[in-house]
Amino acid sequence: MTTINKELLLTKIGSRIRLLRETKGLSQQDLAALCNFEKTNMSRLEAGRTNPTITTLYKISQALEIKLSELLNIDEL
Amino acid sequence: MTTINKELLLTKIGSRIRLLRETKGLSQQDLAALCNFEKTNMSRLEAGRTNPTITTLYKISQALEIKLSELLNIDEL
DNA sequence: AGCAATGTTATCATGTATGATAACCAACAA
DNA sequence: TTGTTGGTTATCATACATGATAACATTGCT
């Protein structure tokens, strides 16, 4: 259980969202729409350029039809 | 996979943190110290009176020595 | 060539999370 | 009584997430 820094944490989560989104064949636009926000904000999230709140991540998990814990199921975290 | 409202989401997460904290025999003070913040902020979090960022939740998971996905492993979410 | 789709960055206003301090309550021990 | 521990709430300043718009680059299609 090694602690990683904030930047790495955020990029890992962003990459995880991107992976799951692409697996479902959705564009950033599509996923953003399902979450009721703009594609620009999805781009920012996936790039790890923001520190999302749990409600934002929950909206994404719902749009991806997975559990919140699955969205954040990243080996290193 | 039913969508719940924000307030319920936050109280469920707060309760989850409290449960895990008490299971480890830690006071709010103890856990807050491990996370490098004040006990008042831990109280606020557990009460669901704030919408935590993922970095805050990550700090807590590290302090509790569990994975982030385990911290958020709540049936309904 | 134009055009639509996809994704990115910059920027802004507004709301709110965080970090901190102080005041308070309850339970309990000295 | 006094002091300690555990927890709560109110409040404040500062930083930043969110929601939104605009501008831009690519790619691929017609």
Side-chain angles (χ1 to χ4, degrees):
Chain A
M1 196 77 65
T2 309
T3 301
I4 63 174
N5 64 29
K6 176 176 176 179
E7 290 69 31
L8 189 52
L9 172 66
L10 300 185
T11 57
K12 281 188 180 297
I13 290 170
S15 299
R16 174 79 175 147
I17 293 171
R18 175 162 295 177
L19 174 68
L20 293 165
R21 173 179 62 78
E22 291 177 339
T23 299
K24 292 209 74 174
L26 297 172
S27 66
Q28 287 185 346
Q29 174 75 275
D30 295 333
L31 182 55
L34 289 170
C35 297
N36 295 305
F37 46 76
E38 298 300 315
K39 63 172 182 169
T40 59
N41 302 325
M42 188 59 68
S43 176
R44 203 163 48 179
L45 278 168
E46 289 188 1
R49 290 172 49 236
T50 201
N51 178 7
T53 60
I54 198 61
T55 56
T56 294
L57 293 171
Y58 179 63
K59 285 181 206 167
I60 294 171
S61 73
Q62 291 281 298
L64 292 172
E65 300 177 295
I66 60 177
K67 295 190 70 177
L68 187 50
S69 60
E70 191 181 343
L71 178 62
L72 296 168
N73 188 18
I74 302 173
D75 281 348
E76 311 92 288
L77 310 185
Chain B
M1 197 78 65
T2 308
T3 301
I4 63 175
N5 65 28
K6 176 177 176 178
E7 289 69 31
L8 188 52
L9 172 66
L10 299 185
T11 57
K12 281 187 181 298
I13 290 170
S15 299
R16 174 79 174 147
I17 292 170
R18 175 161 296 178
L19 174 68
L20 293 166
R21 172 178 63 79
E22 290 176 341
T23 299
K24 292 209 76 176
L26 299 172
S27 66
Q28 288 184 346
Q29 174 74 275
D30 295 332
L31 182 56
L34 289 171
C35 297
N36 294 304
F37 47 76
E38 298 301 315
K39 63 172 183 171
T40 60
N41 302 324
M42 187 60 67
S43 176
R44 202 163 48 179
L45 277 168
E46 289 188 1
R49 288 171 51 236
T50 201
N51 179 7
T53 59
I54 198 62
T55 56
T56 294
L57 294 171
Y58 180 64
K59 284 181 207 167
I60 294 172
S61 73
Q62 290 281 297
L64 292 171
E65 301 178 292
I66 59 177
K67 295 191 68 177
L68 187 50
S69 60
E70 191 181 342
L71 178 62
L72 296 167
N73 188 18
I74 302 172
D75 282 347
E76 311 92 286
L77 310 186

